[in-house]
Amino acid sequence: MAHTPRHGHDREIETLREFDEVAARGSLVGFRLQSVDLTERTEVLLALPVTAAVFLGCRMEPEAAAKVRAEGALVFPPVPHVPFDPYRGLLYTPDELFAGLAEHGYEGTPDALTYAWFGRTRSDGDIFGSMLRAVHDDAVSDALDEHLAGARVVGVMGGHAMARGTDAYAGAARLGRSLARAGLTVATGGGPGAMEAANLGAYTAPYGDTVLDEALLLLGKEPSFAPSVGDWARAAFEVRARWPEGGASVGIPTWFYGHEPPNVFASHIAKYFANATREDGLLARCTAGVVYLPGAAGTVQEIFDNATPNYYESRGEPTPMVLVDRAHWTERLPAWPLLRALAEGRSMEPRIALVDGVEEAPEALAGLAGS
């Protein structure tokens, strides 16, 4: 998925290829460079003007680092001894977060090591740790905005407990496939259960319908991330290896709920430390609406986190909200009556819908978008 960068991002350099393209124009003045390994570009750095440039976590030879500092560039060196890059310029990939899974098990992956670091530092009061988390999350938000610029994003929300091999999981996967085939970018909370199912559906969207059926059978052998995240993830990587040209989608998980691993079917992952930043950012970016599958407290929170700006129109025109499963949202967790009461007489009223089954959601979403 490639989108035109938003205004203001055209002075950011996030890859070595971008660096070479800019350097060929003869100046780095005013650019922001994020986590680019420049150890092989010393001669270029010595030759180019770099006034007012900012180097965030870029590796440089000492000679080059001294020169750019002397010319007035601001240099934030790489941070040693942490399992993540606080200055990263790009979103995560599943392969990056699960690197080393085969050799070391899930406990040795960057995802698990970062969660362990978070667990050690989240309550120790160290300003350095909290600063690193804040810088990281801001960098991830910046990368997410760049990635989604110009996209029509639809969110699929639902609980992590939805097991592979169930009818509910298959329905959520078909939903993700339908939305992706309609030209929408599917975004989820990036975790297991309903979230994984929707990302899986988007992943299989470019293939024929039978591929999703086959993938569901393969995944059903490892229905849950408990007791073994490693076995759960390996089953998903086997599906990806069998059908390697999957469609793109976005997952937005958090280390705050680090016991829930990210799913590997989201091609781009924006993982956060701060859950509040993650929740608000996920919903704010769902410009084409949100579908809410049956869930528990987290999904209820997401409904009303979205309803509030729709009620006040604080993000502009209200976006569509489709709740799936009438019995769940009117009896078990009666969020729908409250949502409907809030919407009555306001501009969000024609933008909410309740449907009985997941197969009705795409049509309902399309109808609300045109209302």
Side-chain angles (χ1 to χ4, degrees):
M1 181 185 349
H3 305 298
T4 302
R6 297 183 311 148
H7 178 71
H9 288 278
D10 57 351
R11 300 196 70 79
E12 294 178 7
I13 297 174
E14 293 144 347
T15 66
L16 195 58
R17 184 179 69 178
E18 289 177 343
F19 175 86
D20 290 339
E21 290 172 354
V22 172
R25 301 200 292 267
S27 175
L28 293 173
V29 171
F31 277 86
R32 280 79 173 103
L33 297 87
Q34 290 179 257
S35 298
V36 184
D37 188 343
L38 300 173
T39 53
E40 300 298 323
R41 297 296 187 272
T42 299
E43 292 185 8
V44 177
L45 289 170
L46 293 176
L48 291 181
V50 295
T51 305
V54 180
F55 293 80
L56 298 167
C58 296
R59 299 187 182 281
M60 292 180 281
E61 295 293 346
E63 182 183 8
K67 182 264 186 185
V68 300
R69 284 192 178 97
E71 287 193 5
L74 194 59
V75 177
F76 292 80
V79 180
H81 312 307
V82 294
F84 64 95
D85 180 0
Y87 302 118
R88 61 180 304 111
L90 303 173
L91 297 179
Y92 291 100
T93 67
D95 292 318
E96 182 180 1
L97 287 174
F98 284 95
L101 177 66
E103 299 84 2
H104 309 296
Y106 175 67
E107 294 72 17
T109 65
D111 185 63
L113 293 172
T114 300
Y115 178 48
W117 176 89
F118 183 37
R120 293 192 301 270
T121 63
R122 64 193 297 181
S123 59
D124 64 5
D126 186 353
I127 185 67
F128 183 59
S130 62
M131 182 197 74
L132 292 181
R133 294 192 294 271
V135 169
H136 169 275
D137 285 1
D138 188 67
V140 167
S141 290
D142 181 74
L144 185 59
D145 283 338
E146 288 187 69
H147 179 71
L148 292 178
R152 296 170 61 225
V153 182
V154 59
V156 178
M157 309 299 161
H160 71 270
M162 185 183 289
R164 295 168 174 174
T166 63
D167 290 342
Y169 185 97
R174 289 192 293 271
L175 170 65
R177 183 177 66 184
S178 296
L179 296 172
R181 287 178 174 175
L184 298 168
T185 296
V186 173
T188 78
M195 297 171 279
E196 181 189 54
N199 288 128
L200 168 66
Y203 185 88
T204 61
Y207 291 96
D209 290 355
T210 59
V211 167
L212 178 55
D213 296 334
E214 293 179 58
L216 290 169
L217 286 174
L218 291 172
L219 292 171
K221 298 174 183 178
E222 294 292 342
S224 174
F225 63 94
S228 173
V229 173
D231 291 344
W232 174 84
R234 276 187 283 270
F237 277 112
E238 288 175 11
V239 170
R240 282 187 38 186
R242 184 166 178 178
W243 296 285
E245 302 299 326
S249 67
V250 174
I252 306 180
T254 173
W255 280 293
F256 184 81
Y257 298 130
H259 61 286
E260 298 179 17
N263 79 74
V264 309
F265 294 112
S267 57
H268 298 82
I269 300 175
K271 191 153 190 179
Y272 288 86
F273 289 106
N275 187 50
T277 303
R278 167 251 192 176
E279 289 274 11
D280 184 69
L282 169 58
L283 294 166
R285 291 173 174 88
C286 293
T287 53
V290 182
V291 177
Y292 296 91
L293 301 175
T299 310
V300 172
Q301 177 180 337
E302 288 161 346
I303 290 173
F304 292 103
D305 278 350
N306 197 20
T308 300
N310 281 347
Y311 180 90
Y312 290 111
E313 298 187 59
S314 56
R315 294 179 185 144
E317 186 178 341
T319 52
M321 300 175 66
V322 178
L323 277 61
V324 176
D325 192 329
R326 188 175 303 273
H328 185 85
W329 294 120
T330 62
E331 299 171 19
R332 286 189 287 276
L333 293 174
W336 172 253
L338 178 53
L339 180 63
R340 185 175 57 184
L342 281 171
E344 186 175 0
R346 305 188 72 88
S347 59
M348 68 181 284
E349 186 173 13
R351 295 296 180 91
I352 65 172
L354 174 66
V355 298
D356 291 313
V358 70
E359 66 280 352
E360 303 171 64
E363 184 177 355
L365 185 72
L368 296 180
S371 62

